[in-house]
Amino acid sequence: MMPSYRFLVNMMKRKVGVILSGCGFLDGAEISEAVLTLLALDSHDLQAVCMAPNEAQAHVVDHVTGEEVPGESRDVLREAARIARGQIRDWKGVTSDELDAIVMPGGFGAAKNLSDFASRGGDATAHPEIVRLLSGMHAQKKPIGAICISPAVVACVLGKQAKPTLTIGSDPGTAQALQAMGAVHQDSVVDACVVDEANRIVSTAAFMCDARLKDISAGIHALVAAIQNLLNSDSEAKGIDQ
């Protein structure tokens, strides 16, 4: 039986890992940013590979009251599966070899479940699995995208080694914490992105700014477009037809 046309097209698409840190901006992935990321990837004909940690969240927050819920526990992977419509993998089974690029939407989950930046700031450390994935992508010179607060995770992993240029918008306290981890911060407006050509890292501020959803969408689309440009430049250098 011949494979379907859709199957063949999907096999040819570049694969972009999307790391989700739960579901809900106070204790997981920021839902709007995650959905806008998936939309931007699809608009640029890039195939999303959603993944998340298969473990308990740092804590659970009631998104009505904004207060932590004592004694309640939720699994990051199962919560993130709500955003990915069930099409999600345990990140332990994903390697940098199978991806062309990787993107992290924001939300406090990035600073609580992927790292401890929320509690330790410039002294933060990252989850061993995110260290493995980001270090692997960086070593292979594959693009990394970071949205909202997730540039802090990039700084945790690559700050001292690569000194990446990142943006979280213009908040001085957060920028100072990134710089304490070795990154270089560049102020940016919400509907733009910052591209570190040398390290192949793209970041955008999103909800780190008090902005309208359409402007946050524009910034995320700019980030994905920049990642696609980096991928295209790779293919051109290798003489691969698009």
Side-chain angles (χ1 to χ4, degrees):
M1 182 177 178
M2 292 291 291
S4 69
Y5 173 77
R6 182 174 181 180
F7 174 81
L8 291 172
V9 169
N10 284 337
M11 286 292 290
M12 294 171 62
K13 284 185 177 180
R14 288 156 167 157
K15 295 182 178 179
V16 179
V18 180
I19 300 178
L20 299 173
S21 56
C23 183
F25 79 104
L26 292 175
D27 56 12
E30 210 296 319
I31 297 170
S32 296
E33 291 174 2
V35 172
L36 289 170
T37 298
L38 296 174
L39 174 61
L41 291 172
D42 190 49
S43 297
H44 286 270
D45 209 28
L46 299 167
Q47 182 179 348
V49 179
C50 294
M51 68 188 88
N54 187 11
E55 56 192 54
Q57 295 179 184
H59 60 196
V60 176
V61 176
D62 184 327
H63 279 62
V64 174
T65 65
E67 299 295 326
E68 183 177 349
V69 184
E72 185 169 339
S73 178
R74 297 188 185 184
D75 182 85
V76 180
L77 180 67
R78 284 163 177 76
E79 289 298 296
R82 297 174 182 272
I83 298 172
R85 295 178 59 84
Q87 301 299 306
I88 196 163
R89 295 168 60 183
D90 182 337
W91 65 354
K92 288 184 178 179
V94 182
T95 68
S96 57
D97 290 338
E98 67 184 281
L99 301 174
D100 297 292
I102 205 163
V103 179
M104 288 183 292
F108 276 109
K112 295 177 179 179
N113 302 325
L114 307 186
S115 71
D116 54 11
F117 182 77
S119 58
R120 298 188 63 197
D123 295 320
T125 56
H127 192 293
E129 289 298 317
I130 200 75
V131 173
R132 175 183 66 84
L133 285 165
L134 294 188
S135 296
M137 297 298 289
H138 187 258
Q140 295 177 55
K141 302 186 185 303
K142 294 180 176 181
I144 296 169
I147 299 166
C148 191
I149 194 60
S150 68
V153 181
V154 176
C156 279
V157 177
L158 300 173
K160 296 292 193 292
Q161 167 195 352
K163 302 192 181 307
T165 298
L166 303 164
T167 191
I168 47 78
S170 58
D171 177 70
T174 309
Q176 186 176 13
L178 264 64
Q179 290 170 166
M181 293 186 286
V184 177
H185 183 264
Q186 181 175 318
D187 283 359
S188 176
V189 294
V190 69
D191 58 355
C193 66
V194 168
V195 182
D196 181 338
E197 295 273 358
N199 283 302
R200 308 179 67 72
I201 297 171
V202 188
S203 51
T204 190
F207 275 110
M208 287 299 294
C209 299
D210 182 13
R212 295 177 63 182
L213 195 61
K214 71 179 185 67
D215 296 322
I216 289 165
S217 177
I220 291 173
H221 276 266
L223 175 140
V224 171
I227 287 173
Q228 188 173 56
N229 286 340
L230 290 171
L231 292 172
N232 289 345
S233 66
D234 282 347
S235 295
E236 290 169 4
K238 295 174 184 176
I240 300 172
D241 293 333
Q242 298 304 306

